[in-house]
Amino acid sequence: MLLKLVTRLSTYGQFGRPLMNYLESTSLNDETKEYIEILKLYWDINYDEVIERIEKDISKLRKGSLYYALLSIKLSALHRLKRDKEVKDIYVELKDNFGDIPQYVRGLVVESLRNIREMYYESNESMEKVRYWSEEYENNPFDKGFILMADAREKKNEGKYEEATQLNIEAFKILKDVPHPSGIVQALNNISWWLKDVDKSIALNFSIPLGFYLGYYFDDDNYKVFNSLDTIFQVQKENNDPMMYETAFIFSKCLSKVNKERCNALKKQCGESINQLKYCVFNLDNRYYKNTKTLRNFIKQEIERVFIKEPNISKRTLNDFLSGKTKQIKPNTLRKIINNLEFEINTSLAIPIVKELKKKDIDKKFEENFYKFMQLKVENQLSEFFTSYLVHYYKQEVKLEKVIKDIESESLIKERCDYYTRELINSIFEETPKIDVDSLLIKNQRQKTFTNKDITFKEHPYYSARKILVKRFMKDLNKKNLKEFIENYIGLDTKQKKTVEKFIMNYGRYYDLKDIPKEFTPKVPKEIDPFVKKYTLKRKPSAISFYVFEGEEREEFVEICNNF
């Protein structure tokens, strides 16, 4: 009976992990605990250990619910490790014994078998498909969503990309309502990746919701993040989309948070993108640029192509730069040169040029947004800036304590704001993208080609989604204690700050989770109850977010709450 309850939780995929953590803190039998631990190992991509534990456990089991549930996980782990012969053997065993599998486990098995069948075998091979006539699979959103994705893969294998796209869209809509984050992202990733070399414009359209739901549902070090950022980066690069540079920045920041072993594994999976990141990532400082051959040759070429009436800099300065006599060039000087030219934006542009275009775009938006920001009440300024700070990876470069003090004393001066602070203030006034996946199928009449005159760097949907999450937390946070909360946060070390940020993000993620059976719904543990009450947080998202933490991380969060 307990296993049946836990398999119901698996309809959320990894999103159900904190609920399973909560169950583990209650009375569970050893078999159910082992099943949960194996699931978590699989989600943490420890595939070798998954197989080792399953082989040890399965030898003691009769062929019932747990046996087939574990065998299904083993099938997926073997696939990840590319152990093809063993994959085929287990596929055959599960298919041949499908009629003996208990009904409540069949949905999990069907999903695994259909996906493996379409990933491993060409449509003309003799390997039979799994039949699934039961209406129960049609009525179960989790089963139906993944079966639709398997059907989509079959159509893709047959070269029927339009049909494959429609099936993935249908799967996305169904799994979004569950919600099943891994399935949501997989369906969108399939569309973008499969269309990358077929219809790159539509592939780019779908990279927007992919980036949005990636930021909305997943922590920075989740495997899904890297796989999908790889897709987004490659699709944007193929389309010469300026957002590519922000994707590269996000990718690099997420990559910096994983250990060496994990990083090496990711290089095998996303090696092409990872190797290209260093050519696309830049900071927003005002340091001089090196006068490289690539930079001056491009400028020289564009000057020869376009007659400059008023270069805005002295002829000597320009000639010294173009001849290579000067070894460095001021940012302001480079911007003046660029302003007198007109050229298309593509992925081969020298980074100093892209950087100056980005800074120019920030300046243009900041002129208006700083005024809007200063019209807000001080309390709202604090709340909005702190939200923007928590969402962006630029926070590592912002002196939060100084900005907060300037806001509180009403002495924030526009000219003294660096580019990171400006970008965070601009973000406050960026609109959240409206996502209608059906409209994304409409082809652009003409693929947008940006020039340095009309380029704008829109906010990445990854950040837009995370703003929604943080705003839910900030809305509930007792405004009387807002300043104290921010001050306590500032006083934490880097690791502790990341723990608090993780809690806040997950508070937003689980804010509206509905239809959780009563026996799965965590209660706020006594260790953090004073913290939850003091800051007037909602109890259900607080409790679930608490159970996202495991082991030492959970103990550390309790200690932080006590200090708050």
Side-chain angles (χ1 to χ4, degrees):
M1 185 62 183
L2 282 172
L3 180 63
K4 187 173 183 178
L5 292 173
V6 172
T7 55
R8 282 176 63 191
L9 278 184
S10 66
T11 60
Y12 296 116
Q14 294 185 50
F15 201 53
R17 184 167 181 154
L19 306 180
M20 292 188 183
N21 286 340
Y22 168 68
L23 282 182
E24 283 192 296
S25 70
T26 64
S27 298
L28 286 181
N29 60 46
D30 291 341
E31 285 188 349
T32 307
K33 280 186 177 180
E34 179 68 358
Y35 176 71
I36 291 174
E37 287 303 308
I38 287 172
L39 263 182
K40 291 197 287 188
L41 284 171
Y42 179 80
W43 290 330
D44 292 338
I45 65 173
N46 294 318
Y47 302 128
D48 287 309
E49 189 175 350
V50 165
I51 293 168
E52 182 182 335
R53 286 179 70 159
I54 288 176
E55 288 177 347
K56 180 182 176 183
D57 294 337
I58 218 165
S59 62
K60 307 170 188 174
L61 296 172
R62 62 178 181 81
K63 292 189 175 183
S65 304
L66 184 57
Y67 177 90
Y68 289 114
L70 291 177
L71 206 59
S72 178
I73 297 172
K74 184 180 179 182
L75 176 68
S76 298
L78 288 169
H79 158 62
R80 295 292 183 185
L81 295 172
K82 303 188 187 306
R83 287 162 60 171
D84 298 357
K85 173 64 171 60
E86 293 167 272
V87 166
K88 187 169 183 178
D89 291 342
I90 293 181
Y91 178 96
V92 171
E93 181 180 353
L94 285 170
K95 181 181 70 65
D96 289 349
N97 292 282
F98 191 72
D100 299 327
I101 299 174
Q103 194 69 39
Y104 70 88
V105 179
R106 283 188 191 179
L108 300 175
V109 175
V110 164
E111 180 258 311
S112 295
L113 291 179
R114 285 290 282 118
N115 275 299
I116 292 294
R117 168 64 175 74
E118 301 308 331
M119 285 189 281
Y120 265 74
Y121 305 106
E122 298 296 334
S123 56
N124 61 353
E125 287 203 48
S126 59
M127 181 65 76
E128 294 180 25
K129 294 181 186 177
V130 182
R131 294 182 177 182
Y132 43 92
W133 295 311
S134 174
E135 289 184 6
E136 186 168 337
Y137 307 131
E138 288 293 311
N139 295 330
N140 184 320
F142 166 77
D143 295 338
K144 186 174 182 179
F146 279 91
I147 288 169
L148 283 168
M149 278 198 281
D151 291 341
R153 188 173 291 278
E154 180 180 18
K155 295 299 181 184
K156 189 267 293 185
N157 290 343
E158 295 170 359
K160 299 175 180 176
Y161 288 96
E162 287 187 15
E163 292 180 54
T165 299
Q166 289 290 357
L167 287 165
N168 273 314
I169 288 174
E170 192 177 346
F172 160 78
K173 290 177 179 177
I174 290 170
L175 294 169
K176 180 174 173 287
D177 289 339
V178 172
H180 191 295
S182 295
I184 292 168
V185 167
Q186 185 179 332
L188 295 170
N189 192 81
N190 286 348
I191 296 171
S192 278
W193 187 253
W194 295 351
L195 293 181
K196 179 172 66 75
D197 300 319
V198 178
D199 191 328
K200 65 181 184 180
S201 178
I202 290 182
L204 181 65
N205 289 346
F206 278 91
S207 72
I208 300 298
L210 177 56
F212 181 88
Y213 287 106
L214 197 64
Y216 189 96
Y217 279 116
F218 293 99
D219 290 322
D220 300 339
D221 57 352
N222 190 286
Y223 180 79
K224 290 283 182 183
V225 168
F226 299 101
N227 188 43
S228 296
L229 285 175
D230 178 34
T231 294
I232 296 168
F233 178 74
Q234 291 297 332
V235 168
Q236 290 172 342
K237 185 172 181 289
E238 188 68 26
N239 283 274
N240 289 319
D241 189 332
M243 197 176 283
M244 172 195 80
Y245 298 101
E246 196 63 36
T247 299
F249 179 69
I250 293 169
F251 203 151
S252 67
K253 289 297 182 183
C254 291
L255 199 62
S256 70
K257 297 180 182 182
V258 301
N259 59 39
K260 187 176 180 180
E261 182 182 357
R262 181 86 183 279
C263 187
N264 289 334
L266 287 167
K267 285 179 180 178
K268 293 179 183 178
Q269 180 75 18
C270 318
E272 183 180 351
S273 292
I274 290 173
N275 290 334
Q276 293 170 344
L277 294 181
K278 59 179 174 286
Y279 303 113
C280 304
V281 175
F282 54 87
N283 56 37
L284 294 174
D285 61 29
N286 260 327
R287 295 175 186 170
Y288 284 34
Y289 300 116
K290 288 183 179 179
N291 184 4
T292 64
K293 186 177 180 180
T294 302
L295 178 59
R296 62 176 176 269
N297 282 352
F298 175 81
I299 297 296
K300 191 182 298 183
Q301 171 188 305
E302 292 303 314
I303 286 176
E304 290 171 355
R305 192 175 62 82
V306 180
F307 175 72
I308 300 179
K309 294 180 181 179
E310 299 177 9
N312 292 333
I313 60 172
S314 71
K315 191 171 182 180
R316 179 180 175 182
T317 299
L318 182 60
N319 288 337
D320 285 350
F321 166 68
L322 294 176
S323 66
K325 185 176 179 180
T326 54
K327 302 303 178 186
Q328 293 181 316
I329 182 170
K330 293 179 181 179
N332 192 46
T333 303
L334 180 59
R335 190 183 294 194
K336 286 179 179 178
I337 295 173
I338 293 171
N339 286 343
N340 280 279
L341 302 172
E342 184 166 2
F343 49 86
E344 290 187 0
I345 305 301
N346 59 58
T347 55
S348 63
L349 276 182
I351 284 298
I353 294 173
V354 178
K355 180 174 172 178
E356 281 310 304
L357 291 173
K358 169 81 170 175
K359 287 161 63 180
K360 180 182 176 182
D361 186 58
I362 291 172
D363 286 338
K364 181 181 177 181
K365 293 173 182 175
F366 190 65
E367 280 295 319
E368 179 181 351
N369 290 333
F370 183 79
Y371 174 78
K372 289 181 184 177
F373 183 71
M374 297 307 292
Q375 296 304 303
L376 300 174
K377 293 179 180 179
V378 170
E379 177 189 284
N380 292 339
Q381 288 182 22
L382 289 172
S383 178
E384 292 289 351
F385 187 81
F386 189 53
T387 296
S388 189
Y389 175 90
L390 292 173
V391 164
H392 287 79
Y393 293 122
Y394 294 126
K395 62 175 169 277
Q396 297 171 11
E397 311 297 334
V398 173
K399 296 176 181 177
L400 179 62
E401 186 173 9
K402 182 181 183 306
V403 177
I404 294 298
K405 284 181 179 178
D406 286 346
I407 291 174
E408 289 177 343
S409 61
E410 301 184 39
S411 59
L412 190 67
I413 298 173
K414 182 171 71 172
E415 290 73 23
R416 292 182 184 175
C417 293
D418 60 25
Y419 277 100
Y420 297 106
T421 304
R422 294 180 184 203
E423 184 73 325
L424 294 188
I425 290 175
N426 285 340
S427 173
I428 293 167
F429 302 99
E430 288 278 357
E431 292 185 4
T432 302
K434 295 178 181 178
I435 296 173
D436 174 12
V437 292
D438 292 316
S439 68
L440 299 178
L441 286 172
I442 300 172
K443 293 187 179 182
N444 299 329
Q445 293 181 349
R446 179 180 64 85
Q447 188 180 341
K448 176 67 175 174
T449 301
F450 292 96
T451 71
N452 60 307
K453 297 295 185 182
D454 65 6
I455 188 173
T456 182
F457 292 83
K458 295 180 181 179
E459 181 164 71
H460 203 287
Y462 189 87
Y463 295 140
S464 301
R466 292 192 164 194
K467 272 197 292 190
I468 293 173
L469 304 180
V470 177
K471 282 186 175 184
R472 288 172 179 166
F473 178 88
M474 298 302 291
K475 177 173 69 73
D476 292 342
L477 184 68
N478 188 334
K479 297 302 178 287
K480 290 189 297 184
N481 294 323
L482 172 63
K483 287 168 63 175
E484 182 184 349
F485 185 91
I486 295 174
E487 288 169 4
N488 285 332
Y489 170 87
I490 290 172
L492 300 175
D493 62 32
T494 302
K495 186 181 177 185
Q496 291 172 325
K497 284 178 180 175
K498 288 178 181 177
T499 301
V500 171
E501 290 161 17
K502 186 174 181 177
F503 175 82
I504 292 172
M505 292 290 178
N506 283 304
Y507 181 93
R509 286 182 181 123
Y510 291 98
Y511 199 79
D512 290 325
L513 187 61
K514 300 172 183 176
D515 302 324
I516 308 174
K518 187 177 180 180
E519 58 269 35
F520 296 157
T521 306
K523 304 292 187 293
V524 173
K526 61 182 181 181
E527 296 96 324
I528 67 164
D529 192 53
F531 172 84
V532 172
K533 287 179 177 177
K534 176 178 179 179
Y535 293 105
T536 62
L537 303 177
K538 284 188 167 51
R539 300 189 71 77
K540 186 171 79 171
S542 295
I544 299 176
S545 187
F546 172 80
Y547 282 104
V548 168
F549 298 121
E550 298 172 9
E552 292 181 3
E553 195 176 27
R554 188 183 295 177
E555 293 174 7
E556 182 179 50
F557 181 67
V558 170
E559 185 179 341
I560 292 169
C561 288
N562 290 335
N563 292 331
F564 266 58

